[in-house]
Amino acid sequence: MRVFITLIAIIGLNGCINMDAITPDFQAETDTSYYLIDTKYRFFCEGDSKRCKDMTKVVSSRGELYPIEKAYNQEVKGPNYPVSLMLMIMNPNDGSYKATPVGNEGRFFKVPKNDTTDLVWNTLSSILNDLFDSGS
């Protein structure tokens, strides 16, 4: 009797495992047609994906922000460089776009993908790569 129950359990588990293997994983489509700013944790994310850049790292890479400052015709100022950068991205001097709040918390803001926001993304990527390359 014990062997019979064990055999049924194995067949049952094997059936579940096989069903899981042939059932495709459901994944919601990721929208990367914009950037999302998380003002609480200071992240700059590619749409609703999990690809994000930590803007707090700009504090140690102040000199690499010049291309962003030039593109926005604004200076990233201290003492809080990440907040200054966020505000610059959310409300550029030239008025070419304005950040759109997402949700009711006042934490997330959506900005369009364009030449200047792409430059921010690429610069932050470069800063983070430099930090990892130097062992920091």
Side-chain angles (χ1 to χ4, degrees):
M1 183 69 156
R2 196 185 259 171
V3 172
F4 180 70
I5 293 173
T6 305
L7 184 60
I8 295 215
I10 291 172
I11 291 170
L13 287 174
N14 191 26
C16 291
I17 292 170
N18 287 339
M19 285 301 291
D20 287 342
I22 63 170
T23 305
D25 290 336
F26 174 76
Q27 292 183 347
E29 208 169 301
T30 302
D31 182 0
T32 58
S33 64
Y34 63 92
Y35 291 109
L36 188 71
I37 297 173
D38 178 342
T39 60
K40 181 176 181 180
Y41 293 107
R42 317 283 196 267
F43 284 121
F44 190 64
C45 302
E46 189 175 27
D48 61 4
S49 74
K50 294 183 189 225
R51 289 183 301 273
C52 299
K53 306 298 179 191
D54 184 353
M55 289 193 279
T56 63
K57 303 302 182 200
V58 302
V59 172
S60 61
S61 300
R62 185 61 202 98
E64 293 185 52
L65 297 179
Y66 178 73
I68 296 172
E69 293 173 327
K70 184 176 178 184
Y72 279 91
N73 197 27
Q74 291 176 255
E75 184 181 346
V76 178
K77 297 179 182 176
N80 197 331
Y81 295 106
V83 170
S84 178
L85 177 60
M86 279 190 305
L87 293 173
M88 178 189 302
I89 299 166
M90 291 167 52
N91 192 19
N93 277 346
D94 67 2
S96 57
Y97 66 86
K98 193 158 179 75
T100 308
V102 176
N104 297 326
E105 295 177 50
R107 174 179 167 185
F108 299 102
F109 290 86
K110 187 177 184 177
V111 295
K113 272 195 171 184
N114 59 35
D115 290 343
T116 52
T117 56
D118 286 344
L119 177 64
V120 171
W121 179 263
N122 294 331
T123 302
L124 290 172
S125 295
S126 174
I127 288 169
L128 294 172
N129 286 338
D130 289 349
L131 289 174
F132 285 119
D133 289 344
S134 67
S136 298

